Amino acid sequence: MEHPTFVFDGDCAFCSSCARFIEHRIRPDADVVAWQFADLEALGLTEEQVSSAVCYVAPGRATAGPVAIADLLRRAGPVWRAAGAVLGLRPITALAWPVYRWVSRNRHRMPGGTAACALPPSHPARAA
């Protein structure tokens, strides 16, 4: 894999809306792909990983959740790079994880979300 790839849940309307925003507004130098259409093996990811959080894969680096978002933002324009640098700071990332998990658990309630976005009670992301 030579080009960075950002992987999201294409079955989730909220996630898909966010991915469209990323592609059209942020325009990172990375591929934005639904995990359902990605070659997970080539990316070195598992279905469990990508169903629990967004992932960012670049040569020699794979991250998830807010760290993946920070990595993605650092591949965009100057304002987004600055936001990615701030989000990538350890104290900020530590604060971002609980927010990310809350959004993940409640994505079916978010704008653009649908009942199909709801995680089943037994899903690993629910426990986090």
Side-chain angles (χ1 to χ4, degrees):
M1 188 207 65
E2 297 176 17
H3 197 68
T5 303
F6 185 78
V7 183
F8 69 97
D9 184 355
D11 282 340
C12 172
F14 175 70
C15 299
S16 295
S17 294
C18 292
R20 282 192 302 277
F21 179 85
I22 289 167
E23 291 177 314
H24 298 294
R25 302 282 187 211
I26 298 175
R27 296 188 208 140
D29 180 23
D31 296 325
V32 179
V33 181
W35 73 259
Q36 292 84 352
F37 301 106
D39 183 349
L40 297 181
E41 187 175 328
L43 292 170
L45 298 172
T46 66
E47 191 172 326
E48 183 178 345
Q49 288 172 303
V50 296
S51 66
S52 296
V54 295
C55 294
Y56 177 86
V57 180
R61 182 169 174 83
T63 56
V67 180
I69 295 168
D71 287 342
L72 177 76
L73 292 173
R74 286 192 289 253
R75 301 282 304 188
V79 173
W80 296 112
R81 273 197 303 273
V86 171
L87 181 57
L89 296 172
R90 287 182 194 239
I92 303 300
T93 300
L95 294 171
W97 267 111
V99 174
Y100 181 88
R101 288 184 189 112
W102 183 87
V103 169
S104 179
R105 283 190 307 271
N106 293 284
R107 59 191 177 160
H108 61 288
R109 295 184 177 109
M110 300 294 169
T114 65
C117 300
L119 297 174
S122 62
H123 193 277
R126 276 238 185 247

